[in-house]
Each structure stands twice: as C-alpha cells, then as structure tokens.
Amino acid sequence: FQSGSLTGKTVFITAGPTREAMDPVRYISNHSSGKMGYALAEAAVEAGAKVKLISGPVNIPVPERVERVSVESAEEMLEASMLDLGLCDIFIAAAAVADYRPTAIAEHKIKKGSEEIMELHLVKNPDIVATVANSSPKPFTVGFAAETKDVLEYARSKLERKNLDLIIANDVSRSDIGFNSDENAVTLISASSTESLPQASKRQLANRLIERISAQYKSTAR
Ligand code: C5P
C-alpha cells in the first residue's frame, strides 16, 4: 500500500443509510452500518487525500482528518454531494440510499385509524451516484453493487447504466460478508477489467480498494 498515492486529491464518499421521513416521528430506512464507507474514508486520508464524508445516520465516530457532513434523506445526501463537486477528483458512493421515499411528509404524527390496512405512497429517490457521474466536469466515479444473484452481470449493467468508471460488486446473499458484517469480499469491474479481491476485514479491504481506485483513476484519461 503506497501511502501518499492520493496527495493533493479530493475524495467525496457517501456512507450509511438514508432516512426517509413519513411524519415528524417516523421514517423508512435500512440496516446499513456505514462501516465500508467509513473505512474507505480512513484509508483515503491515509493515502493523502482530502476527504468529505457525506454520511447518513450511523454509530461510528468521525475518523481523524475527515470532514463529515451529516445528512438524513436521499435528497439531502444529493445536495451535499453536488456542493463543491467541481473540487472533487474521486467520488465513491458507498451509501445504501433508500430507493423510495414517502410522497409527502405529514406535518403532524399520523394517527392510527380503524382500518386494518394502511396505504403508504412512495416516490422514487434521485440516483445520487448517477447524477454525479453525469455532471460536468465528472469526477472519477465509483459505485457499489450489492447483489444476491448474478452478481457480476448486474454489476456490469449498473456500471454502464449509471455511467460509472468503476463498480465494486459484492455478494450479499452470504451472511459472513457484506451488509453489517466486519468482513467483505469484492470484485472490481471497469469497462476494461475485472479483478477479485479476497475476503478481508473492511479496513484491510478499504486500503486495497483505495490503492486500486487511485491506480485506475491515474490511468484514466481525463
Ligand atoms: O441501483 P443500486 O441501488 O443497486 O446501486 C448501488 C450504487 O448506487 C451504490 O454505489 C449506491 O451508493 C448508489 N446509489 C445512489 N443513489 C441512489 C441509489 C443508489 O447513489 N438513489
């Protein structure tokens, strides 16, 4: 691991879940721990980068020398991601963004009715990493693909559909790695290469990922 490989570079990283409010006391969210994104932020700082960590609600302290911007909803995460995007060299989307949010946030706590069935209407959230990858100038953009089957095929189609430079695929059907686990095993896919990294702690893996990301960033014409 070559320290200093990202000296002078600015890296934005999204991490953790988003929370989509229904009313002043309730929300829709997911079990993302934020561990992978925070480990990447630490590794990027150690490689010499200036890091902005755009984080949903998680229980992890802010890593040293990392600027954390705390957000709740996907819309807030998008806004924080687009702010000063022109300064960003590498954008890594490790957040587990809620795909949908309630169409409206009730002003007051929603009351229990007499009906057995309650309907909740949802609207699609913006795709943060795709929005970043389609802006100009575009940073070197890295996404994650957590899949339970046909992992590499889905990841390749996501790489193209979202206009990413690199996608990090992981198989979340395995309970020993991925979501909420301390370990992960991934495959890096770009338009021209596929490389698997063996199972390791998220922190060790983060070092290897930052090393691979900075190497690919440097070899990409821009
Ligand atoms: O489409 P899917 O959610 O599987 O894509 C995962 C990748 O896209 C991750 O890198 C995730 O952070 C990013 N993403 C995003 N905004 C969304 C949904 C996903 O940035 N609304």
Side-chain angles (χ1 to χ4, degrees):
F1 178 61
Q2 192 194 349
S3 98
S5 60
L6 289 177
T7 303
K9 301 298 172 195
T10 297
V11 179
F12 287 9
I13 301 173
T14 67
T18 66
R19 266 183 197 174
E20 310 298 334
M22 291 172 57
D23 71 14
V25 297
R26 301 185 179 95
Y27 57 81
I28 296 172
S29 191
N30 60 66
H31 288 295
S32 166
S33 64
K35 282 174 190 161
M36 195 67 238
Y38 277 63
L40 286 165
E42 277 182 21
V45 157
E46 277 178 21
K50 188 171 178 286
V51 176
K52 175 162 101 174
L53 179 60
I54 303 152
S55 175
V58 299
N59 281 310
I60 311 179
V62 192
E64 267 177 58
R65 290 173 286 149
V66 167
E67 178 203 348
R68 178 169 70 178
V69 178
S70 294
V71 299
E72 294 221 336
S73 66
E75 287 177 304
E76 287 170 14
M77 188 172 275
L78 175 64
E79 195 184 328
S81 299
M82 297 307 285
L83 188 69
D84 295 328
L85 188 66
L87 304 176
C88 175
D89 299 294
I90 300 175
F91 188 96
I92 307 174
V97 182
D99 290 326
Y100 291 88
R101 66 177 183 276
T103 46
I105 305 174
E107 191 185 342
H108 297 287
K109 184 180 168 191
I110 298 167
K111 288 297 181 191
K112 181 162 49 208
S114 54
E115 327 67 54
E116 284 302 313
I117 305 286
M118 179 198 173
E119 282 185 28
L120 178 64
H121 290 266
L122 305 174
V123 57
K124 205 170 227 158
N125 265 328
D127 192 312
I128 297 164
V129 77
T131 307
V132 166
N134 287 296
S135 40
S136 155
K138 172 202 178 185
F140 184 84
T141 311
V142 183
F144 275 78
E147 307 291 347
T148 56
K149 68 172 179 100
D150 302 330
V151 178
L152 300 187
E153 286 93 298
Y154 281 128
R156 280 196 189 95
S157 73
K158 233 166 249 186
L159 177 82
E160 276 188 30
R161 181 161 42 83
K162 299 193 188 213
N163 197 28
L164 308 178
D165 296 293
L166 189 65
I167 194 152
I168 303 165
N170 69 318
D171 183 345
V172 289
S173 66
R174 293 174 52 183
S175 61
D176 55 330
I177 57 172
F179 238 59
N180 247 317
S181 159
D182 286 325
E183 302 222 322
N184 211 345
V186 301
T187 303
L188 282 87
I189 302 169
S190 73
S192 59
S193 67
T194 300
E195 182 188 3
S196 291
L197 299 184
Q199 183 168 344
S201 72
K202 284 186 176 174
R203 189 51 232 270
Q204 283 173 324
L205 195 65
N207 284 347
R208 289 182 201 142
L209 282 172
I210 289 296
E211 181 196 16
R212 301 307 305 138
I213 290 167
S214 64
Q216 296 224 14
Y217 162 72
K218 284 172 184 168
S219 70
T220 305
R222 64 195 56 250

